[in-house]
C-alpha cells in the first residue's frame, strides 16, 4: 500500500479540521476497497503478471533431437561398427535428458551400411541403452544368419521358424529402435548400442557402418 | 464498498461521533475476509496443450496396388544426385530435381494423394527457438513408413533412397539426415530374378526444429512436409521401382526443445 495513512498526525493542541479528517478517511477507504491507482502499480508490473506468446517453463513435454547426415557412398565419413560381440555405443548417438520424474520416449532412426555388395556380412543387433544398461526390450535384429532371406510370394518355403526377427546384414537397410522408459528426476543419458553376435574371426572382415542417424526423445511428466 | 460516516462541516466533534467513525473503520478492516476470495478460488486446473488445433495430419496409401516409378517416365527426377539436394518432382508438376514425391500421380498406381502434408492450411508453423511466435510450435515430429516391393532391373544393383523434405516459401528443403537407403538385389533369393518381391519397410522418424532451418539456410516457418524417393542407378538403364503402402504422419508440438545437427 503506497498511500500513507494518516498523512499527518494530530498533536496536543491541534485544532481539528474536519475537511482534513474526511479527506484522509476517503483516501483510506479507497485503498481498503481495492481502488488501485498509479500509486499501486509500477509501469512494468504488467509484464510480470501475465505473459503473452511464450511457453511456460513447466510445459509437460520436452523434445530433443540429435542428428547426423552421412552419405553411404563416402565410407570414410561413416560411423564404423567395431567387430565385437559386446555392446558398443554408436558414436554421436548420445542423448542427454534432464528434468522431473516421468517417462521418456526414445527413438533412434538410422541407416546401416555394409561394404556395398559384400555378401559375407554377419548380422548385427541394436538396442537402446539408458543410464548405462542395455534395455533388452528394445532389441532389434536376431543375429540369426539363417533367417535373412524370405520370398514375399513364397514365405513358407524359405523362412526358418526361429520366432525371431531377421538379422541385419543387408548392404543398405534403414531401421528404427524405439522404447518407453520411466525415469526419476535428474540427469539421464541414452545411447544407441550395436553388437555383432557372429564375429568373423579370420579372413577378410566386413566393413560395417552406421550412416545417417537421428535420435529423438520426448520427456513427459505429470 | 465502505463509506465512512464523514463529519459535516461545523458539526460538533464529540467523542461519540469520532468513536463511531473509528469503529466503522475497525469493523471494515476486521471484516475484510468476509468478501475475500477463498484461497485458490481463481486457480483452475489447466491441461497444457501439446498440439495446436487442427493437428495431427496424416496421408497414407494402404491399398495393395503398387505404384510404379520408371526412369522413362520420371527422367532425371528419379536419378539421385547428392545428399541433401533440395526440390524435386511434385504431382502435377514437370519432373525436376533428383527425387520425386512418393505417390506422384505419374506413378500409375491407385494412390489417392501423394505423400505431401500442408500444415496449418498452408500457413505453416514457425519453429523458433524460444517459442515466441504466435504458433508457439517448437518442433514438428514426422513419422514415415513405406514398403519397397522391388526394383526391376536385371542388369545391375539399383539402390533406393527415401527422405523427408519441408516447405518454406517456394522451396522444398531436404532434411539430409533423413535420407535412407535400401539395396534390393542382395535381398533376392535369386539375384537374376528381377521381378522377385523383396518387401522392405523403410521407416523414417525426424523432429524438425529451428536447428534444421538454420542448417539448411531457410526461413523457420514449416509450411508442409513430404516424402521423396529416388534411385542410384549408375548405368542409367531403365529401372522400374515398385512401391507399396506408405503413411506419413506429422505432429506439430507445443514443447520445449533441444536439437543438435551435424
Amino acid at each position: 500500500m503506497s498511500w500513507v495513512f494518516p498523512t499527518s498526525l494530530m498533536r496536543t493542541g491541534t485544532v481539528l479540521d474536519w475537511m482534513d479528517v474526511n479527506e484522509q478517511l476517503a483516501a483510506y477507504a479507497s485503498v481498503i476497497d481495492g481502488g488501485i491507482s498509479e500509486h499501486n502499480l509500477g509501469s512494468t508490473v504488467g509484464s510480470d503478471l501475465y505473459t503473452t506468446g511464450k511457453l511456460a517453463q513447466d510445459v509437460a513435454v520436452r523434445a530433443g533431437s540429435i542428428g547426423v547426415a552421412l552419405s553411404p557412398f563416402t565410407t570414410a565419413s561413416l560411423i564404423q561398427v567395431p567387430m565385437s560381440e559386446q555392446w558398443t555405443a554408436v558414436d554421436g548417438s548420445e542423448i542427454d535428458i534432464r528434468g522431473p520424474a516421468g517417462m521418456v520416449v526414445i527413438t533412434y532412426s538410422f541407416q546401416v551400411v555394409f561394404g556395398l555388395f559384400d555378401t559375407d556380412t554377419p548380422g548385427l543387433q541394436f538396442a537402446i541403452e539408458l543410464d548405462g544398461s542395455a534395455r533388452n526390450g528394445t532389441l532389434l535384429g536376431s543375429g540369426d544368419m539363417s533367417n535373412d532371406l524370405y520370398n514375399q510370394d513364397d514365405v513358407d518355403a524359405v523362412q526358418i521358424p526361429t520366432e525371431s526377427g531377421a538379422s541385419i546384414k543387408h548392404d543398405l537397410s534403414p531401421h528404427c529402435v524405439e522404447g518407453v522408459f520411466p525415469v526419476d528426476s535428474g540427469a539421464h543419458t541414452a545411447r544407441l548400442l550395436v553388437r555383432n553376435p557372429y564375429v568373423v574371426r579370420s579372413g577378410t572382415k566386413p566393413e560395417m557402418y552406421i550412416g545417417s542417424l537421428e535420435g529423438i526423445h520426448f520427456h513427459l511428466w505429470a | 464498498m465502505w463509506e465512512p460516516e464523514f463529519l459535516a462541516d461545523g458539526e460538533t466533534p464529540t467523542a461519540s461521533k469520532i468513536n463511531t467513525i473509528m469503529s466503522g473503520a475497525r469493523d471494515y478492516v476486521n471484516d475484510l475476509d468476509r468478501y475475500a476470495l477463498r484461497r485458490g478460488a481463481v486457480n483452475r486446473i489447466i491441461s497444457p496443450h501439446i498440439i495446436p488445433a487442427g493437428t495431427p495430419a496424416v496421408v497414407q496409401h494402404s491399398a495393395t496396388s503398387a505404384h510404379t516409378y520408371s526412369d522413362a517416365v520420371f527422367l532425371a527426377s528419379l536419378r539421385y544426385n547428392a545428399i541433401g539436394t533440395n526440390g524435386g518432382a511434385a504431382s502435377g508438376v514437370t519432373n525436376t530435381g533428383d527425387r520425386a514425391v512418393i505417390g506422384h500421380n505419374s506413378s500409375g498406381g491407385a494412390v489417392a494423394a501423394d505423400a505431401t502434408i500442408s500444415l496449418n492450411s498452408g500457413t505453416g508453423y514457425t519453429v523458433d527457438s524460444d517459442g515466441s511466435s504466435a504458433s508457439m510450435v517448437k518442433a514438428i515430429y514426422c513419422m514415415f513408413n513405406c514398403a519397397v516391393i522391388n526394383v526391376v532391373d536385371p542388369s545391375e544393383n539399383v539402390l533406393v533412397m527415401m527422405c523427408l523434405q519441408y516447405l518454406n516459401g517456394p522451396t522444398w528443403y531436404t532434411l539430409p539426415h533423413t535420407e535412407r537407403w535400401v539395396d534390393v538385389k542382395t535381398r533376392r533369393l535369386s539375384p537374376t530374378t528381377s521381378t522377385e518381391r523383396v518387401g522392405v519397410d523403410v521407416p523414417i522418424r525426424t523432429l524438425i526444429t529451428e536447428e534444421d532451418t538454420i542448417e539448411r539456410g531457410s526461413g523457420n516457418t514449416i509450411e508442409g512436409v513430404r516424402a521423396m524417393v529416388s534411385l542410384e542407378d549408375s548405368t542409367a538403364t531403365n529401372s522400374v521401382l515398385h512401391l507399396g503402402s506408405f503413411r506419413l504422419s506429422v505432429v506439430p508440438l507445443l514443447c520445449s526443445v533441444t536439437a543438435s545437427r551435424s
Side-chain angles (χ1 to χ4, degrees):
Chain A
M1 185 183 299
S2 60
W3 196 273
V4 178
F5 177 82
T7 55
S8 61
L9 294 174
M10 288 180 292
R11 302 177 184 279
T12 302
T14 300
V15 177
L16 277 177
D17 180 344
W18 287 120
M19 288 300 291
D20 186 40
V21 173
N22 287 343
E23 285 175 0
Q24 293 199 41
L25 276 174
Y28 174 64
S30 71
V31 173
I32 289 296
D33 283 326
I36 295 175
S37 69
E38 67 274 18
H39 301 289
N40 305 96
L41 293 177
S43 59
T44 59
V45 71
S47 61
D48 296 330
L49 292 177
Y50 58 88
T51 59
T52 56
K54 285 194 174 184
L55 291 173
Q57 293 301 309
D58 58 348
V59 292
V61 182
R62 283 183 192 155
S65 173
I66 55 99
V68 58
L70 301 170
S71 169
F73 307 110
T74 311
T75 53
S77 65
L78 298 176
I79 304 165
Q80 188 150 21
V81 175
M83 183 73 69
S84 171
E85 297 164 316
Q86 305 301 315
W87 286 120
T88 304
V90 174
D91 288 345
S93 67
E94 187 167 306
I95 297 174
D96 291 323
I97 302 161
R98 296 172 187 273
M103 284 199 319
V104 176
V105 182
I106 299 172
T107 299
Y108 281 102
S109 174
F110 56 96
Q111 175 75 48
V112 173
V113 182
F114 286 107
L116 290 182
F117 314 122
D118 182 351
T119 57
D120 296 326
T121 50
L124 292 179
Q125 289 183 329
F126 293 89
I128 292 174
E129 178 197 72
L130 182 63
D131 294 336
S133 64
R135 305 303 172 111
N136 288 337
T138 65
L139 186 66
L140 177 71
S142 69
D144 180 352
M145 299 178 75
S146 66
N147 199 28
D148 294 337
L149 302 174
Y150 64 94
N151 184 331
Q152 190 170 315
D153 294 323
D154 189 14
V155 172
D156 292 338
V158 294
Q159 191 173 37
I160 308 301
T162 58
E163 297 183 351
S164 60
S167 68
I168 297 168
K169 60 174 288 186
H170 296 292
D171 290 351
L172 290 165
S173 56
H175 298 282
C176 276
V177 184
E178 299 172 300
V180 180
F181 313 97
V183 292
D184 293 330
S185 61
H188 306 276
T189 301
R191 299 187 297 181
L192 177 64
L193 299 181
V194 60
R195 70 180 175 188
N196 179 203
Y198 288 89
V199 172
V200 177
R201 300 188 184 281
S202 61
T204 303
K205 296 185 177 181
E207 297 175 349
M208 306 179 292
Y209 304 96
I210 306 297
S212 293
L213 163 78
E214 181 162 5
I216 302 165
H217 81 273
F218 298 109
H219 188 184
L220 313 156
W221 58 90
Chain B
M1 181 176 175
W2 176 51
E3 285 288 344
E5 296 180 18
F6 295 118
L7 294 171
D9 193 20
E11 193 172 351
T12 302
T14 64
S16 173
K17 290 184 182 298
I18 293 176
N19 285 341
T20 299
I21 294 172
M22 301 313 291
S23 295
R26 180 198 62 200
D27 292 344
Y28 189 82
V29 171
N30 288 341
D31 290 346
L32 276 179
D33 278 348
R34 180 184 300 172
Y35 303 109
L37 289 172
R38 180 173 51 82
R39 182 177 175 82
V42 295
N43 293 342
R44 66 189 175 102
I45 303 299
I46 302 174
S47 297
H49 296 281
I50 295 177
I51 60 173
T55 58
V58 175
V59 60
Q60 65 179 355
H61 169 65
S62 56
T64 56
S65 61
H67 34 123
T68 304
Y69 304 79
S70 71
D71 282 340
V73 173
F74 284 86
L75 305 173
S77 67
L78 210 58
R79 300 282 170 79
Y80 182 81
N81 180 24
I83 186 169
T85 302
N86 294 328
S91 286
V93 179
T94 303
N95 292 320
T96 58
D98 73 338
R99 55 202 72 193
V101 68
I102 292 174
H104 194 289
N105 57 6
S106 294
S107 65
V111 179
D114 64 36
T116 302
I117 289 177
S118 178
L119 289 172
N120 199 17
S121 302
T123 304
Y125 296 104
T126 300
V127 288
D128 58 356
S129 57
D130 66 357
S132 61
S133 71
S135 74
M136 292 194 290
V137 170
K138 284 190 178 180
I140 298 174
Y141 186 46
C142 305
M143 294 166 281
F144 176 72
N145 288 77
C146 184
V148 175
I149 295 175
N150 69 1
V151 177
V152 179
D153 186 340
S155 64
E156 58 186 312
N157 291 290
V158 177
L159 306 175
V160 181
M161 188 284 300
M162 295 186 188
C163 70
L164 298 182
Q165 294 183 330
Y166 67 88
L167 178 65
N168 176 256
T171 305
W172 284 96
Y173 292 90
T174 290
L175 293 158
H177 56 278
T178 68
E179 290 194 2
R180 296 289 181 271
W181 290 86
V182 172
D183 69 292
V184 174
K185 188 173 181 179
T186 62
R187 296 171 188 269
R188 296 175 185 144
L189 289 177
S190 170
T192 59
T193 307
S194 63
T195 57
E196 183 179 310
R197 297 161 66 93
V198 294
V200 183
D201 175 43
V202 179
I204 303 175
R205 306 287 185 267
T206 192
L207 193 71
I208 303 175
T209 68
E210 188 177 38
E211 187 90 6
D212 294 303
T213 65
I214 294 171
E215 188 264 335
R216 300 305 291 164
S218 74
N220 61 356
T221 298
I222 310 299
E223 298 156 6
V225 176
R226 68 180 185 179
M228 308 295 281
V229 65
S230 191
L231 298 177
E232 171 65 24
D233 186 357
S234 57
T235 57
T237 55
N238 185 17
S239 303
V240 180
L241 166 69
H242 295 104
L243 299 181
S245 301
F246 67 78
R247 181 180 174 91
L248 173 64
S249 305
V250 176
V251 187
L253 291 168
L254 306 174
C255 61
S256 62
V257 68
T258 58
S260 174
R261 297 282 181 269
S262 59

PDB file of all heavy atoms in Angstrom, chain A residues 173-195:
ATOM      1  N   SER A 173      20.281 -50.805 -45.237  1.00  0.00           N
ATOM      2  CA  SER A 173      18.968 -51.026 -44.632  1.00  0.00           C
ATOM      3  C   SER A 173      18.687 -49.943 -43.594  1.00  0.00           C
ATOM      4  O   SER A 173      19.541 -49.616 -42.781  1.00  0.00           O
ATOM      5  CB  SER A 173      18.882 -52.421 -43.996  1.00  0.00           C
ATOM      6  OG  SER A 173      19.919 -52.612 -43.055  1.00  0.00           O
ATOM      7  N   PRO A 174      17.489 -49.381 -43.653  1.00  0.00           N
ATOM      8  CA  PRO A 174      17.092 -48.364 -42.679  1.00  0.00           C
ATOM      9  C   PRO A 174      16.334 -49.014 -41.524  1.00  0.00           C
ATOM     10  O   PRO A 174      15.586 -49.977 -41.722  1.00  0.00           O
ATOM     11  CB  PRO A 174      16.160 -47.463 -43.488  1.00  0.00           C
ATOM     12  CG  PRO A 174      15.545 -48.368 -44.500  1.00  0.00           C
ATOM     13  CD  PRO A 174      16.509 -49.506 -44.750  1.00  0.00           C
ATOM     14  N   HIS A 175      16.539 -48.507 -40.312  1.00  0.00           N
ATOM     15  CA  HIS A 175      15.894 -49.119 -39.147  1.00  0.00           C
ATOM     16  C   HIS A 175      15.464 -48.070 -38.133  1.00  0.00           C
ATOM     17  O   HIS A 175      15.979 -46.935 -38.143  1.00  0.00           O
ATOM     18  CB  HIS A 175      16.851 -50.099 -38.464  1.00  0.00           C
ATOM     19  CG  HIS A 175      17.261 -51.232 -39.343  1.00  0.00           C
ATOM     20  ND1 HIS A 175      16.462 -52.321 -39.607  1.00  0.00           N
ATOM     21  CD2 HIS A 175      18.398 -51.422 -40.066  1.00  0.00           C
ATOM     22  CE1 HIS A 175      17.082 -53.134 -40.438  1.00  0.00           C
ATOM     23  NE2 HIS A 175      18.262 -52.615 -40.732  1.00  0.00           N
ATOM     24  N   CYS A 176      14.577 -48.498 -37.248  1.00  0.00           N
ATOM     25  CA  CYS A 176      14.169 -47.700 -36.101  1.00  0.00           C
ATOM     26  C   CYS A 176      14.214 -48.575 -34.853  1.00  0.00           C
ATOM     27  O   CYS A 176      13.790 -49.732 -34.903  1.00  0.00           O
ATOM     28  CB  CYS A 176      12.743 -47.156 -36.261  1.00  0.00           C
ATOM     29  SG  CYS A 176      12.642 -45.646 -37.217  1.00  0.00           S
ATOM     30  N   VAL A 177      14.728 -48.029 -33.772  1.00  0.00           N
ATOM     31  CA  VAL A 177      14.655 -48.685 -32.470  1.00  0.00           C
ATOM     32  C   VAL A 177      13.928 -47.727 -31.531  1.00  0.00           C
ATOM     33  O   VAL A 177      14.275 -46.543 -31.462  1.00  0.00           O
ATOM     34  CB  VAL A 177      16.054 -48.992 -31.900  1.00  0.00           C
ATOM     35  CG1 VAL A 177      15.934 -49.754 -30.592  1.00  0.00           C
ATOM     36  CG2 VAL A 177      16.866 -49.777 -32.892  1.00  0.00           C
ATOM     37  N   GLU A 178      12.921 -48.241 -30.838  1.00  0.00           N
ATOM     38  CA  GLU A 178      12.103 -47.353 -30.019  1.00  0.00           C
ATOM     39  C   GLU A 178      11.859 -47.970 -28.649  1.00  0.00           C
ATOM     40  O   GLU A 178      11.856 -49.200 -28.502  1.00  0.00           O
ATOM     41  CB  GLU A 178      10.765 -47.069 -30.711  1.00  0.00           C
ATOM     42  CG  GLU A 178      10.946 -46.375 -32.050  1.00  0.00           C
ATOM     43  CD  GLU A 178       9.660 -46.262 -32.847  1.00  0.00           C
ATOM     44  OE1 GLU A 178       9.061 -47.301 -33.163  1.00  0.00           O
ATOM     45  OE2 GLU A 178       9.277 -45.137 -33.157  1.00  0.00           O
ATOM     46  N   GLY A 179      11.638 -47.128 -27.670  1.00  0.00           N
ATOM     47  CA  GLY A 179      11.316 -47.621 -26.338  1.00  0.00           C
ATOM     48  C   GLY A 179      10.734 -46.524 -25.472  1.00  0.00           C
ATOM     49  O   GLY A 179      10.939 -45.335 -25.720  1.00  0.00           O
ATOM     50  N   VAL A 180       9.978 -46.947 -24.444  1.00  0.00           N
ATOM     51  CA  VAL A 180       9.404 -46.016 -23.469  1.00  0.00           C
ATOM     52  C   VAL A 180       9.906 -46.432 -22.095  1.00  0.00           C
ATOM     53  O   VAL A 180       9.811 -47.604 -21.725  1.00  0.00           O
ATOM     54  CB  VAL A 180       7.868 -46.056 -23.498  1.00  0.00           C
ATOM     55  CG1 VAL A 180       7.298 -45.075 -22.467  1.00  0.00           C
ATOM     56  CG2 VAL A 180       7.347 -45.723 -24.882  1.00  0.00           C
ATOM     57  N   PHE A 181      10.433 -45.468 -21.329  1.00  0.00           N
ATOM     58  CA  PHE A 181      11.066 -45.804 -20.056  1.00  0.00           C
ATOM     59  C   PHE A 181      10.620 -44.837 -18.958  1.00  0.00           C
ATOM     60  O   PHE A 181      10.609 -43.624 -19.177  1.00  0.00           O
ATOM     61  CB  PHE A 181      12.593 -45.717 -20.181  1.00  0.00           C
ATOM     62  CG  PHE A 181      13.149 -46.397 -21.398  1.00  0.00           C
ATOM     63  CD1 PHE A 181      13.443 -45.674 -22.537  1.00  0.00           C
ATOM     64  CD2 PHE A 181      13.349 -47.766 -21.407  1.00  0.00           C
ATOM     65  CE1 PHE A 181      13.936 -46.284 -23.669  1.00  0.00           C
ATOM     66  CE2 PHE A 181      13.857 -48.395 -22.528  1.00  0.00           C
ATOM     67  CZ  PHE A 181      14.143 -47.656 -23.663  1.00  0.00           C
ATOM     68  N   PRO A 182      10.290 -45.354 -17.774  1.00  0.00           N
ATOM     69  CA  PRO A 182      10.074 -44.455 -16.634  1.00  0.00           C
ATOM     70  C   PRO A 182      11.421 -43.953 -16.136  1.00  0.00           C
ATOM     71  O   PRO A 182      12.401 -44.704 -16.132  1.00  0.00           O
ATOM     72  CB  PRO A 182       9.400 -45.361 -15.598  1.00  0.00           C
ATOM     73  CG  PRO A 182       9.847 -46.741 -15.952  1.00  0.00           C
ATOM     74  CD  PRO A 182      10.058 -46.762 -17.431  1.00  0.00           C
ATOM     75  N   VAL A 183      11.488 -42.685 -15.733  1.00  0.00           N
ATOM     76  CA  VAL A 183      12.748 -42.125 -15.235  1.00  0.00           C
ATOM     77  C   VAL A 183      12.489 -41.330 -13.958  1.00  0.00           C
ATOM     78  O   VAL A 183      11.420 -40.753 -13.776  1.00  0.00           O
ATOM     79  CB  VAL A 183      13.431 -41.199 -16.274  1.00  0.00           C
ATOM     80  CG1 VAL A 183      13.917 -41.990 -17.459  1.00  0.00           C
ATOM     81  CG2 VAL A 183      12.493 -40.092 -16.711  1.00  0.00           C
ATOM     82  N   ASP A 184      13.464 -41.336 -13.079  1.00  0.00           N
ATOM     83  CA  ASP A 184      13.431 -40.474 -11.900  1.00  0.00           C
ATOM     84  C   ASP A 184      13.866 -39.072 -12.304  1.00  0.00           C
ATOM     85  O   ASP A 184      14.394 -38.864 -13.387  1.00  0.00           O
ATOM     86  CB  ASP A 184      14.379 -41.021 -10.823  1.00  0.00           C
ATOM     87  CG  ASP A 184      13.893 -42.351 -10.270  1.00  0.00           C
ATOM     88  OD1 ASP A 184      12.667 -42.562 -10.257  1.00  0.00           O
ATOM     89  OD2 ASP A 184      14.744 -43.178  -9.879  1.00  0.00           O
ATOM     90  N   SER A 185      13.664 -38.128 -11.401  1.00  0.00           N
ATOM     91  CA  SER A 185      14.118 -36.772 -11.678  1.00  0.00           C
ATOM     92  C   SER A 185      15.642 -36.749 -11.715  1.00  0.00           C
ATOM     93  O   SER A 185      16.308 -37.553 -11.061  1.00  0.00           O
ATOM     94  CB  SER A 185      13.599 -35.809 -10.613  1.00  0.00           C
ATOM     95  OG  SER A 185      14.094 -36.198  -9.355  1.00  0.00           O
ATOM     96  N   GLY A 186      16.167 -35.831 -12.505  1.00  0.00           N
ATOM     97  CA  GLY A 186      17.623 -35.730 -12.596  1.00  0.00           C
ATOM     98  C   GLY A 186      18.113 -35.883 -14.016  1.00  0.00           C
ATOM     99  O   GLY A 186      17.372 -35.685 -14.975  1.00  0.00           O
ATOM    100  N   ALA A 187      19.380 -36.259 -14.120  1.00  0.00           N
ATOM    101  CA  ALA A 187      20.016 -36.361 -15.428  1.00  0.00           C
ATOM    102  C   ALA A 187      20.091 -37.821 -15.885  1.00  0.00           C
ATOM    103  O   ALA A 187      20.370 -38.717 -15.079  1.00  0.00           O
ATOM    104  CB  ALA A 187      21.426 -35.765 -15.366  1.00  0.00           C
ATOM    105  N   HIS A 188      19.813 -38.028 -17.143  1.00  0.00           N
ATOM    106  CA  HIS A 188      19.867 -39.371 -17.717  1.00  0.00           C
ATOM    107  C   HIS A 188      20.554 -39.309 -19.080  1.00  0.00           C
ATOM    108  O   HIS A 188      20.533 -38.276 -19.744  1.00  0.00           O
ATOM    109  CB  HIS A 188      18.459 -39.951 -17.879  1.00  0.00           C
ATOM    110  CG  HIS A 188      17.653 -39.944 -16.615  1.00  0.00           C
ATOM    111  ND1 HIS A 188      17.748 -40.939 -15.672  1.00  0.00           N
ATOM    112  CD2 HIS A 188      16.786 -39.027 -16.131  1.00  0.00           C
ATOM    113  CE1 HIS A 188      16.944 -40.654 -14.657  1.00  0.00           C
ATOM    114  NE2 HIS A 188      16.351 -39.494 -14.906  1.00  0.00           N
ATOM    115  N   THR A 189      21.106 -40.435 -19.479  1.00  0.00           N
ATOM    116  CA  THR A 189      21.799 -40.498 -20.764  1.00  0.00           C
ATOM    117  C   THR A 189      21.334 -41.734 -21.530  1.00  0.00           C
ATOM    118  O   THR A 189      21.301 -42.835 -20.972  1.00  0.00           O
ATOM    119  CB  THR A 189      23.328 -40.577 -20.577  1.00  0.00           C
ATOM    120  OG1 THR A 189      23.753 -39.421 -19.843  1.00  0.00           O
ATOM    121  CG2 THR A 189      24.032 -40.606 -21.919  1.00  0.00           C
ATOM    122  N   ALA A 190      20.973 -41.522 -22.782  1.00  0.00           N
ATOM    123  CA  ALA A 190      20.595 -42.636 -23.655  1.00  0.00           C
ATOM    124  C   ALA A 190      21.580 -42.706 -24.815  1.00  0.00           C
ATOM    125  O   ALA A 190      22.097 -41.684 -25.265  1.00  0.00           O
ATOM    126  CB  ALA A 190      19.183 -42.445 -24.188  1.00  0.00           C
ATOM    127  N   ARG A 191      21.844 -43.940 -25.264  1.00  0.00           N
ATOM    128  CA  ARG A 191      22.720 -44.143 -26.424  1.00  0.00           C
ATOM    129  C   ARG A 191      22.185 -45.305 -27.247  1.00  0.00           C
ATOM    130  O   ARG A 191      21.462 -46.169 -26.734  1.00  0.00           O
ATOM    131  CB  ARG A 191      24.153 -44.427 -25.984  1.00  0.00           C
ATOM    132  CG  ARG A 191      24.788 -43.309 -25.185  1.00  0.00           C
ATOM    133  CD  ARG A 191      26.260 -43.547 -24.907  1.00  0.00           C
ATOM    134  NE  ARG A 191      26.503 -44.732 -24.089  1.00  0.00           N
ATOM    135  CZ  ARG A 191      27.708 -45.138 -23.707  1.00  0.00           C
ATOM    136  NH1 ARG A 191      28.774 -44.463 -24.097  1.00  0.00           N
ATOM    137  NH2 ARG A 191      27.855 -46.212 -22.965  1.00  0.00           N
ATOM    138  N   LEU A 192      22.553 -45.323 -28.508  1.00  0.00           N
ATOM    139  CA  LEU A 192      22.236 -46.454 -29.379  1.00  0.00           C
ATOM    140  C   LEU A 192      23.381 -47.451 -29.305  1.00  0.00           C
ATOM    141  O   LEU A 192      24.539 -47.081 -29.498  1.00  0.00           O
ATOM    142  CB  LEU A 192      22.036 -45.988 -30.821  1.00  0.00           C
ATOM    143  CG  LEU A 192      21.775 -47.086 -31.857  1.00  0.00           C
ATOM    144  CD1 LEU A 192      20.458 -47.808 -31.576  1.00  0.00           C
ATOM    145  CD2 LEU A 192      21.762 -46.501 -33.269  1.00  0.00           C
ATOM    146  N   LEU A 193      23.034 -48.703 -29.003  1.00  0.00           N
ATOM    147  CA  LEU A 193      24.050 -49.749 -28.900  1.00  0.00           C
ATOM    148  C   LEU A 193      24.003 -50.659 -30.119  1.00  0.00           C
ATOM    149  O   LEU A 193      22.948 -50.875 -30.709  1.00  0.00           O
ATOM    150  CB  LEU A 193      23.814 -50.594 -27.638  1.00  0.00           C
ATOM    151  CG  LEU A 193      23.875 -49.894 -26.285  1.00  0.00           C
ATOM    152  CD1 LEU A 193      23.650 -50.902 -25.166  1.00  0.00           C
ATOM    153  CD2 LEU A 193      25.204 -49.178 -26.094  1.00  0.00           C
ATOM    154  N   VAL A 194      25.164 -51.211 -30.439  1.00  0.00           N
ATOM    155  CA  VAL A 194      25.242 -52.173 -31.534  1.00  0.00           C
ATOM    156  C   VAL A 194      26.196 -53.291 -31.122  1.00  0.00           C
ATOM    157  O   VAL A 194      27.154 -53.063 -30.374  1.00  0.00           O
ATOM    158  CB  VAL A 194      25.736 -51.487 -32.836  1.00  0.00           C
ATOM    159  CG1 VAL A 194      27.117 -50.869 -32.660  1.00  0.00           C
ATOM    160  CG2 VAL A 194      25.733 -52.474 -34.006  1.00  0.00           C
ATOM    161  N   ARG A 195      25.903 -54.502 -31.573  1.00  0.00           N
ATOM    162  CA  ARG A 195      26.844 -55.591 -31.366  1.00  0.00           C
ATOM    163  C   ARG A 195      26.760 -56.568 -32.530  1.00  0.00           C
ATOM    164  O   ARG A 195      25.808 -56.559 -33.303  1.00  0.00           O
ATOM    165  CB  ARG A 195      26.592 -56.324 -30.051  1.00  0.00           C
ATOM    166  CG  ARG A 195      25.327 -57.148 -29.988  1.00  0.00           C
ATOM    167  CD  ARG A 195      25.212 -57.824 -28.636  1.00  0.00           C
ATOM    168  NE  ARG A 195      23.947 -58.541 -28.496  1.00  0.00           N
ATOM    169  CZ  ARG A 195      23.525 -59.092 -27.364  1.00  0.00           C
ATOM    170  NH1 ARG A 195      24.270 -58.996 -26.269  1.00  0.00           N
ATOM    171  NH2 ARG A 195      22.375 -59.731 -27.314  1.00  0.00           N
TER     172      ARG A 195
END
